[in-house]
């Protein structure tokens, strides 16, 4: 089975303190360096997602921007 282009899968082991090690290939691919902040998102039915903080910040900014626009329209 050929893997889809741009799609990856890795395994990690959770340590006794709940820590995981992000595989080297993933760190290099996504430019994750020591001291970077990642966001852990969880959905009980779909699982975990770990986007970089910068990606989440752009998403949150767009959500709040849209909400502010709607509030302005409601006030008019």
């Amino acid at each position: 089975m050929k893997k889809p282009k741009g799609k990856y899968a890795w395994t990690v082991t959770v340590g006794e303190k709940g820590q995981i090690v992000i595989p080297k290939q993933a760190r290099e691919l996504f430019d994750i360096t020591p001291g970077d902040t990642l966001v852990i998102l969880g959905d009980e039915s779909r699982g975990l997602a770990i986007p970089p903080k910068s990606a989440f910040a752009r998403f949150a900014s767009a959500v709040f921007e849209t909400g502010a626009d709607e509030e302005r329209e409601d006030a008019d």
Side-chain angles (χ1 to χ4, degrees):
M1 181 174 162
K2 191 174 181 180
K3 84 174 176 87
K5 185 176 181 176
K7 305 293 182 184
Y8 301 87
W10 296 281
T11 61
V12 298
T13 301
V14 179
E16 290 181 27
K17 294 182 180 182
Q19 298 170 320
I20 62 169
V21 174
I22 299 170
K24 182 180 180 184
Q25 182 187 24
R27 293 191 316 266
E28 290 174 348
L29 182 67
F30 295 104
D31 194 29
I32 299 170
T33 59
D36 284 353
T37 300
L38 303 176
V39 177
I40 307 289
L41 303 174
D43 181 301
E44 288 183 8
S45 61
R46 296 179 66 194
L48 295 174
I50 310 174
K53 182 180 178 185
S54 59
F56 185 74
R58 287 190 303 270
F59 170 75
S61 177
V63 168
F64 292 129
E65 211 170 273
T66 300
D69 292 343
E70 290 173 1
E71 287 176 17
R72 278 189 226 115
E73 289 174 6
D74 291 342
D76 292 335

